[in-house]
Amino acid sequence: MESPELSFSLAYFVFSLCFVFTPNEFRSAGLTVQNLFSSWLGSEDVGFVQYHVRRTSLTVLLHSALPLGYYMGMCIAAPEKNLGYIYQVSDGWRAFFIFSLCLQLVSWMLVIYWSRRHWSNHPISRTLQAHVRPPHSNWGSVAASVNDEFRRIDKFASGAPGARVIVTDSWVLKVTTYHVYMALQRDCHVTVTESRQHQLSPDSASPTQFLTLRVDSINPAIRAFDIRLNSTEYAELREKLHAPIRNSANVVIHQTISELFLETFRAQVELNPPHTLPSGQELEPCIGCMQVPAGTKLIRLCHTEGAETESDCQQCFCRPMWCLSCLGRWFASRQDQQRPETWLSSRVPCPTCRAKFCILDICVVR
């Protein structure tokens, strides 16, 4: 029969594992794998794939060493148990020691196997191998493509370190503790499968909605995986994701006040008179996002709406420099967040020259 001391020790060990695998306190103190072994891991920005190949391998070794480390710690903390003499301890402690030792040996054998042939046996490398197709000749070439796109500043990134979601121009990535899931955007489709609402949020007094999205690839060698994100980030994800997004019939995505305002903002601006560019003038990229051409021009038009009222708006002489989405976000950011009913009727300064304008002064460039 198992002794009460062993039962208490095993319960304490399980509690310790739970504490390790929810490492908010360790992260706040800087005690993470990434920080402690940063010199060996290298830089994620320089080599994303190589960094996570090393990180996941090291994580497997460290986590598998926890039971053995606990046993060795008990040898020091409880010398009266004589745990250092394996043939004198109880059957329970002996079985625990053998299990801990075997787990550590198996993990080392696994990592050594992964590292052969320049880490080509690692699960991340095998995932990349499944994406090899022209113009890529091997998984190293695919890894170089992933590294290059990760270094770009226009990628979408969200989530906690243990479940991070990254979307680049060509890839959908999910970084977990032991693996990095990958899918090519052109080969996958995304489905919103679940939404959960939480009434309490440390960042906002309003309820928070989290969405679960299923990423399926037409490549049979790529396993489907789930990503989870805040509904407030859904619009940004949708802009970056070129793959089609399907919504399950029973899932309702709640839009934020800012997203609702942007829809109304676009609809109202479309009602304003368009602005025709002079011949020979070309549109430059929007200086806010650098992704689309600048498609708006500020022209003082509100004073013509009513002759009896004097407008506080000013004439802006800037050339078209902002797209409609970026200008709408700038307009919303300058508002009183507690009084959304006043947003459409308010005036804000031009983000470039500071001349005041209202929503009636925004013209779409044709």
Side-chain angles (χ1 to χ4, degrees):
M1 185 174 180
E2 195 176 56
S3 64
E5 292 83 359
L6 180 58
S7 299
F8 174 78
S9 299
L10 292 177
Y12 180 78
F13 170 69
V14 172
F15 173 78
S16 301
L17 283 182
C18 294
F19 183 74
V20 169
F21 283 100
T22 55
N24 293 327
E25 290 81 1
F26 285 107
R27 289 198 190 100
S28 62
L31 299 178
T32 62
V33 173
Q34 292 86 336
N35 291 337
L36 294 176
F37 300 92
S38 58
S39 59
W40 183 72
L41 293 176
S43 173
E44 184 184 40
D45 293 329
V46 174
F48 175 84
V49 172
Q50 292 78 5
Y51 174 89
H52 285 286
V53 165
R54 291 189 288 263
R55 179 193 62 81
T56 52
S57 302
L58 183 61
T59 301
V60 168
L61 293 177
L62 292 179
H63 286 183
S64 65
L66 288 174
L68 186 59
Y70 173 76
Y71 185 91
M72 296 175 65
M74 288 298 295
C75 291
I76 301 174
E80 68 278 2
K81 297 182 179 295
N82 294 322
L83 296 180
Y85 302 94
I86 189 63
Y87 296 105
Q88 299 180 10
V89 299
S90 63
D91 293 338
W93 277 111
R94 187 180 298 111
F96 179 76
F97 173 76
I98 295 174
F99 165 77
S100 304
L101 189 61
C102 291
L103 181 63
Q104 180 68 171
L105 292 175
V106 169
S107 66
W108 273 102
M109 293 172 62
L110 179 63
V111 172
I112 292 173
Y113 169 73
W114 285 350
S115 65
R116 297 185 62 185
R117 295 185 297 170
H118 303 286
W119 298 96
S120 61
N121 295 326
H122 194 280
I124 296 178
S125 304
R126 291 186 173 184
T127 301
L128 292 170
Q129 182 66 37
H131 287 103
V132 173
R133 64 184 66 175
H136 303 296
S137 58
N138 52 54
W139 72 268
S141 177
V142 182
S145 174
V146 176
N147 294 343
D148 180 64
E149 293 193 10
F150 181 80
R151 283 192 291 266
R152 299 174 186 172
I153 61 174
D154 61 337
K155 63 179 178 292
F156 171 84
S158 175
R164 194 152 54 111
V165 179
I166 301 166
V167 180
T168 67
D169 293 336
S170 305
W171 297 90
V172 180
L173 310 172
K174 178 184 177 182
V175 179
T176 65
T177 303
Y178 300 108
H179 191 52
V180 177
Y181 296 90
M182 303 178 182
L184 272 171
Q185 287 208 42
R186 65 172 181 264
D187 291 345
C188 70
H189 57 267
V190 182
T191 306
V192 183
T193 59
E194 184 185 16
S195 66
R196 290 188 178 183
Q197 187 135 338
H198 299 266
Q199 297 298 326
L200 298 178
S201 171
D203 302 324
S204 174
S206 59
T208 301
Q209 184 188 36
F210 287 95
L211 304 175
T212 301
L213 295 86
R214 185 76 169 176
V215 180
D216 294 284
S217 177
I218 61 175
N219 188 336
I222 302 302
R223 290 188 301 165
F225 58 92
D226 293 332
I227 59 177
R228 193 166 182 260
L229 73 158
N230 197 311
S231 62
T232 59
E233 301 172 312
Y234 178 73
E236 184 181 355
L237 172 71
R238 191 170 51 186
E239 289 182 3
K240 189 64 181 177
L241 193 63
H242 308 305
I245 301 180
R246 299 179 298 186
N247 194 358
S248 299
N250 59 338
V251 177
V252 178
I253 301 175
H254 298 162
Q255 290 183 303
T256 64
I257 294 178
S258 297
E259 291 171 351
L260 292 172
F261 171 76
L262 284 177
E263 289 187 0
T264 307
F265 179 86
R266 292 190 186 97
Q268 180 60 51
V269 171
E270 290 292 338
L271 299 177
N272 297 340
H275 172 71
T276 304
L277 279 180
S279 59
Q281 182 177 350
E282 296 182 358
L283 289 177
E284 300 177 358
C286 168
I287 64 174
C289 63
M290 299 299 292
Q291 298 299 308
V292 296
T296 59
K297 169 68 175 172
L298 299 180
I299 303 175
R300 189 185 179 196
L301 298 174
C302 59
H303 68 285
T304 62
E305 295 295 324
E308 298 179 357
T309 59
E310 183 65 25
S311 172
D312 292 332
C313 295
Q314 302 168 334
Q315 181 62 47
C316 173
F317 297 97
C318 300
R319 66 181 187 278
M321 302 176 66
W322 299 83
C323 67
L324 188 57
S325 296
C326 289
L327 194 62
R329 293 188 182 96
W330 164 264
F331 199 98
S333 68
R334 307 295 293 181
Q335 307 303 319
D336 184 353
Q337 302 299 312
Q338 304 302 322
R339 301 178 60 195
E341 68 278 2
T342 65
W343 289 12
L344 286 176
S345 60
S346 64
R347 293 171 175 81
V348 300
C350 168
T352 308
C353 70
R354 302 302 177 182
K356 286 188 176 181
F357 70 96
C358 66
I359 197 171
L360 298 175
D361 299 330
I362 306 172
C363 299
V364 176
V365 176
R366 300 301 185 190

